[in-house]
Amino acid sequence: MDNFTYFNPTKIHFGKGQIATLKEEIAPNSRVLLTYGGGSIKANGVYEQVLDALQGCSVVEFGGIEPNPHYETLIKAVAVAKQEQIDVILAVGGGSVIDGSKFIAAAACYDGDAWDIMTTDGDCVRRALPLGCVLTLPATGSEMNKNSVVTRAETQDKLSFGSDFVRPVFSILDPQTTYTLPPRQIANGAVDSFVHIMEQYMTYPVNAKVSDRFAESLLLNLFEDGPAALATPDDYEVRANLMWTATMALNGTLKNGVPSDWATHAIGHELTALYGLDHAQTLAIVMPALWRYKKEQKKGKLLQYAHRVLNITSGTEDEQIEQAIQKTEAFFTQMGNPTRLSDYNLSEKDIPAVQEKLTEHGMLALGEHQDITPHDAAAILKLAL
Amino acid sequence: MDNFTYFNPTKIHFGKGQIATLKEEIAPNSRVLLTYGGGSIKANGVYEQVLDALQGCSVVEFGGIEPNPHYETLIKAVAVAKQEQIDVILAVGGGSVIDGSKFIAAAACYDGDAWDIMTTDGDCVRRALPLGCVLTLPATGSEMNKNSVVTRAETQDKLSFGSDFVRPVFSILDPQTTYTLPPRQIANGAVDSFVHIMEQYMTYPVNAKVSDRFAESLLLNLFEDGPAALATPDDYEVRANLMWTATMALNGTLKNGVPSDWATHAIGHELTALYGLDHAQTLAIVMPALWRYKKEQKKGKLLQYAHRVLNITSGTEDEQIEQAIQKTEAFFTQMGNPTRLSDYNLSEKDIPAVQEKLTEHGMLALGEHQDITPHDAAAILKLAL
């Protein structure tokens, strides 16, 4: 078990009707920047609940934050936050809205070029506006962590930053808000959560029993309730378990005492930036191929996953591992994210650009052993044609 | 899955050599009240590591905090904290030292009668001195929660309080500090942790998959590493897994979305206050008897425990439940805590006093259904003769 530091002060209000707790979390007369995405919150009743709870506050709206939030959009919100002397940002939406709002919160308090926040991985952040969240899409875990991913559209750069200053002060999770989500978003969220768990689990054994068994717990939840959420969209219990599983998947709990991988995310980000694939699609393509490419180094954990999560016991070790990878691929496919580049009309000729972008972004040594070069990334993608 | 609010801002530094992080957590020139217990920290090297990391601070020592910390002792420390104008309390020890230090932290900032803190369950607490911890005994989870249990020796009252103001700002967990613990303390700690998990698990099913599977994960860890810690006291991995399991058992994670019981603790506290039994001994006596007494109401979770944790599959449901209870009793006994009153020279004549004390303390409706009266508690204890 490796040494670790754990810190997560975000308060969670979870369950039916919890949007009303906004009254407790945001002081009356506050100047609130209400950030959101494409406007679905105005169709599903969330917007009304939020405004009702914010009575007495001055609310300035900033909608239109897109999936894979764009720097070019966010910087406009930063100007609004400064001009309107905003006290608190309330992000209402999924991971993209929350990630974007973290950037806004930090940039509104930063005097230099706001893009510095991305290029320094948040190191230049010294303060931020307080951020609260009303989560409507279980997927990224952003509602309870310090991380954010922002895309600069003009250069196709998709970068991440992290800072304790942008941790949400509170997040509200009402599973009922997810009933009206398009199936594709629920499916993508389940795949995203699944891969978040795996990035912290599928490395090599260090006998960290809490993190290992917690990860296996969350994987089991997703195998059960990912498909169930698609089959019965208004089953509260299913949505509740999916939502809390997705948050726990990336709030720091699972990485305590274990190595992390994150190569799948790094390679996937380039596929999204270059070819516009959904984040979850990129993960479904890269992870199984990466496991096959790194089968020897990941053998111990691949077998542990096969035994404890998938209940695979027959065959040689290699056969058990291949069964585990195939079952994972089947899950991704079942959740609407097939696992081959060709499923998205991409082919071998599209791989060199990924390799180049990884090099350009300094992603030269990925994975838990820092031994996945851009050249290896290209080899991994060739296993996913 | 029930609604919940979760909040836990305590920062954890876990692993080898982490006591040195005190330098980062406590500002130079601070006036530190160093609280500890019987003085074992001066024999095992912890004291030296702490003082070394606190160079530049003014350190005032207050040792001698006893197991089941006494109000009469703690109130002396409160006087010292006020007189010495203490900035921060550093508790070095196990749950008793940390619980006691939470009381000191709150009472040092309270103007009324300090016992009010206990009788109001912490509601009268409005501020407290900042508290840091160096944990040397994995057991109570106090290092990462807001709770404290204090005993008033003169009246044999053992009461608890909770307040966000006394949550440790940081806690340092170095498993190496536990190598020199007496086997009885390691064994008691494992039983205590086990019962903490069960108080939040063994109620009735509400389909809260994260909390259920996390609880089962931690129970498996204890079944494996409780006995291992006794067999090989200087195995770092075993001690590390035991230590982090004990913290996660009672830091709020497991209670998210589920009902809680806590009747075993309430009844056990009276046994300790009246007859001086170790906390873990009282839990080992009460819990199996309580499960038998409430077998019908707890049936769903007893069977889930039998299947998922103990891998019991043969026999009728009643037989499976009885097997599960017997395996639990065997674990307690293996960990040095037999499960009958007679094992501690107590008998039926000692039960009425427990019933009276529960009544006196207003413990009139215990358990997840609030249907365990002091009369029921007596009936439970009769099942543990």
Side-chain angles (χ1 to χ4, degrees):
Chain A
M1 188 161 162
D2 298 344
N3 281 11
F4 64 85
T5 291
Y6 174 82
F7 174 60
N8 195 330
T10 299
K11 183 186 284 188
I12 300 291
H13 295 291
F14 188 101
K16 291 179 183 173
Q18 294 280 33
I19 292 174
T21 62
L22 280 172
K23 289 190 192 74
E24 302 160 24
E25 295 295 345
I26 297 184
N29 304 317
S30 297
R31 298 186 60 78
V32 181
L33 182 66
L34 174 62
T35 54
Y36 57 93
S40 61
I41 62 166
K42 295 194 174 177
N44 63 10
V46 172
Y47 178 80
E48 286 76 10
Q49 289 183 65
V50 168
L51 283 198
D52 189 48
L54 290 180
Q55 279 177 24
C57 294
S58 299
V59 178
V60 179
E61 292 187 27
F62 187 91
I65 297 177
E66 54 280 281
N68 302 305
H70 289 178
Y71 167 80
E72 291 83 352
T73 304
L74 304 175
I75 207 71
K76 292 177 192 161
V78 174
V80 173
K82 287 179 175 174
Q83 189 183 333
E84 297 284 347
Q85 299 183 295
I86 290 299
D87 299 313
V88 54
I89 300 177
L90 180 64
V92 182
S96 293
V97 172
I98 297 170
D99 279 14
S101 298
K102 287 175 176 174
F103 180 85
I104 299 165
C109 300
Y110 185 69
D111 292 328
D113 177 355
W115 191 245
D116 294 348
I117 295 168
M118 306 311 300
T119 55
T120 66
D121 189 14
D123 283 349
C124 67
V125 176
R126 287 289 169 275
R127 58 205 173 88
L129 290 175
L131 170 66
C133 306
V134 176
L135 183 70
T136 61
L137 170 56
T140 73
S142 187
E143 65 278 7
M144 201 180 177
N145 67 36
K146 66 177 185 176
N147 302 315
S148 165
V149 181
V150 171
T151 298
R152 192 157 189 163
E154 62 168 324
T155 55
Q156 292 181 321
D157 290 323
K158 185 173 180 180
L159 298 181
S160 62
F161 84 99
S163 169
D164 279 331
F165 295 101
V166 300
R167 287 184 181 278
V169 177
F170 67 88
S171 285
I172 297 171
L173 284 65
D174 181 343
Q176 297 172 120
T177 64
T178 74
Y179 289 170
T180 53
L181 282 171
R184 177 169 164 184
Q185 291 195 16
I186 278 288
N188 284 2
V191 170
D192 195 16
S193 303
F194 188 97
V195 177
H196 290 158
I197 298 163
M198 285 297 187
E199 297 278 29
Q200 304 164 88
Y201 175 82
M202 193 54 76
T203 58
Y204 53 88
V206 297
N207 194 16
K209 293 189 179 184
V210 175
S211 291
D212 273 8
R213 287 197 160 112
F214 279 15
E216 291 154 4
S217 298
L218 299 182
L219 293 169
L220 284 166
N221 294 354
L222 290 174
F223 274 116
E224 290 170 3
D225 282 338
L230 295 180
T232 53
D234 57 353
D235 183 322
Y236 180 81
E237 296 300 335
V238 167
R239 293 292 167 120
N241 281 313
L242 195 63
M243 198 170 207
W244 189 225
T245 295
T247 298
M248 291 301 301
L250 197 54
N251 71 354
T253 304
L254 296 191
K255 79 172 162 58
N256 289 328
V258 297
S260 294
D261 183 338
W262 293 106
T264 293
H265 268 72
I267 300 168
H269 283 174
E270 305 301 352
L271 284 172
T272 296
L274 286 167
Y275 305 118
L277 267 62
D278 288 355
H279 179 53
Q281 293 171 333
T282 71
L283 304 175
I285 293 167
V286 178
M287 180 160 271
L290 187 149
W291 287 357
R292 290 198 174 94
Y293 191 75
K294 285 288 179 190
K295 190 172 72 171
E296 283 309 313
Q297 286 183 323
K298 291 182 182 291
K299 190 170 201 168
K301 286 310 256 314
L302 280 165
L303 286 169
Q304 185 176 321
Y305 167 57
H307 299 162
R308 291 200 195 170
V309 179
L310 299 172
N311 208 19
I312 294 169
T313 51
S314 65
T316 65
E317 288 190 342
D318 275 355
E319 286 165 355
Q320 291 179 10
I321 288 171
E322 184 54 29
Q323 281 183 66
I325 297 174
Q326 288 181 15
K327 286 201 176 188
T328 307
E329 290 175 319
F331 174 72
F332 291 161
T333 302
Q334 182 185 17
M335 298 306 289
N337 288 280
T339 61
R340 302 286 159 175
L341 286 165
S342 54
D343 293 317
Y344 306 93
N345 297 316
L346 294 175
S347 64
E348 192 156 359
K349 72 173 170 22
D350 301 305
I351 294 176
V354 176
Q355 185 174 341
E356 282 163 29
K357 274 290 180 186
L358 284 167
T359 305
E360 181 185 329
H361 292 142
M363 303 291 176
L364 306 178
L366 299 171
E368 67 270 21
H369 298 291
Q370 293 90 49
D371 61 356
I372 297 180
T373 65
H375 178 79
D376 291 306
I380 288 166
L381 290 174
K382 283 179 194 162
L383 294 179
L385 291 173
Chain B
M1 188 162 161
D2 298 344
N3 281 10
F4 64 85
T5 291
Y6 174 82
F7 175 59
N8 196 329
T10 298
K11 183 186 285 188
I12 300 291
H13 295 290
F14 188 100
K16 291 180 182 171
Q18 293 280 33
I19 292 175
T21 62
L22 279 172
K23 288 190 193 75
E24 303 159 22
E25 295 295 345
I26 297 184
N29 304 317
S30 297
R31 297 186 60 79
V32 181
L33 182 66
L34 174 63
T35 54
Y36 57 93
S40 61
I41 61 165
K42 294 192 175 178
N44 63 10
V46 171
Y47 179 79
E48 286 76 11
Q49 288 182 65
V50 168
L51 284 199
D52 190 49
L54 291 180
Q55 279 179 23
C57 295
S58 300
V59 178
V60 179
E61 292 187 28
F62 187 90
I65 298 177
E66 55 279 281
N68 302 305
H70 289 178
Y71 167 79
E72 292 83 352
T73 303
L74 303 176
I75 207 72
K76 292 177 193 161
V78 173
V80 173
K82 287 179 175 172
Q83 189 183 333
E84 297 284 347
Q85 299 184 292
I86 291 297
D87 300 313
V88 55
I89 300 177
L90 181 64
V92 183
S96 293
V97 173
I98 297 171
D99 279 14
S101 299
K102 287 175 176 174
F103 180 84
I104 299 166
C109 300
Y110 184 69
D111 292 328
D113 177 356
W115 190 246
D116 295 349
I117 295 168
M118 306 309 301
T119 55
T120 66
D121 190 14
D123 283 350
C124 67
V125 176
R126 287 290 169 272
R127 58 204 173 90
L129 290 175
L131 170 65
C133 306
V134 176
L135 182 70
T136 61
L137 171 56
T140 72
S142 187
E143 65 278 6
M144 201 180 176
N145 67 36
K146 66 178 185 176
N147 301 315
S148 165
V149 181
V150 171
T151 298
R152 192 157 187 163
E154 62 168 327
T155 56
Q156 294 180 320
D157 290 323
K158 185 173 180 179
L159 298 181
S160 62
F161 84 99
S163 168
D164 279 332
F165 295 101
V166 300
R167 288 185 181 276
V169 178
F170 67 88
S171 285
I172 296 171
L173 284 65
D174 182 342
Q176 298 172 119
T177 64
T178 74
Y179 289 170
T180 53
L181 283 170
R184 177 170 164 183
Q185 291 197 16
I186 278 288
N188 284 3
V191 170
D192 195 18
S193 303
F194 188 97
V195 177
H196 290 158
I197 299 163
M198 284 298 186
E199 297 278 28
Q200 304 165 86
Y201 174 83
M202 194 54 77
T203 58
Y204 53 88
V206 297
N207 194 17
K209 294 189 181 186
V210 175
S211 291
D212 274 7
R213 288 196 161 113
F214 279 14
E216 291 154 3
S217 298
L218 299 182
L219 293 170
L220 284 167
N221 294 354
L222 291 174
F223 274 116
E224 290 170 2
D225 282 338
L230 295 179
T232 52
D234 57 352
D235 183 322
Y236 180 82
E237 296 300 334
V238 168
R239 293 293 167 121
N241 281 312
L242 196 62
M243 198 169 207
W244 189 226
T245 294
T247 298
M248 291 302 301
L250 199 54
N251 70 355
T253 304
L254 297 190
K255 80 171 161 61
N256 289 328
V258 297
S260 294
D261 184 338
W262 293 105
T264 292
H265 269 71
I267 300 168
H269 283 175
E270 305 300 354
L271 285 172
T272 294
L274 285 167
Y275 305 118
L277 269 60
D278 288 356
H279 179 54
Q281 293 171 334
T282 71
L283 304 175
I285 293 166
V286 178
M287 181 159 269
L290 188 149
W291 287 357
R292 289 199 175 93
Y293 191 76
K294 286 288 180 191
K295 190 173 72 173
E296 283 308 314
Q297 286 183 323
K298 291 181 183 291
K299 191 171 200 168
K301 286 310 256 313
L302 280 165
L303 287 168
Q304 185 176 321
Y305 167 57
H307 299 160
R308 290 200 196 172
V309 179
L310 299 172
N311 207 20
I312 294 169
T313 52
S314 65
T316 65
E317 287 190 343
D318 275 354
E319 287 166 353
Q320 290 179 10
I321 288 171
E322 184 54 29
Q323 281 183 66
I325 296 175
Q326 288 181 15
K327 286 200 176 189
T328 306
E329 290 175 318
F331 173 71
F332 291 160
T333 302
Q334 182 185 18
M335 299 305 289
N337 289 280
T339 62
R340 301 285 159 175
L341 286 165
S342 53
D343 293 317
Y344 307 93
N345 297 316
L346 295 174
S347 66
E348 191 156 0
K349 71 173 172 22
D350 301 305
I351 294 175
V354 176
Q355 185 174 342
E356 283 162 30
K357 274 290 181 185
L358 284 167
T359 306
E360 182 186 328
H361 291 143
M363 303 290 176
L364 306 177
L366 299 170
E368 67 271 20
H369 298 291
Q370 293 90 50
D371 62 355
I372 298 180
T373 64
H375 179 78
D376 291 306
I380 288 166
L381 290 173
K382 283 178 194 162
L383 295 179
L385 292 173

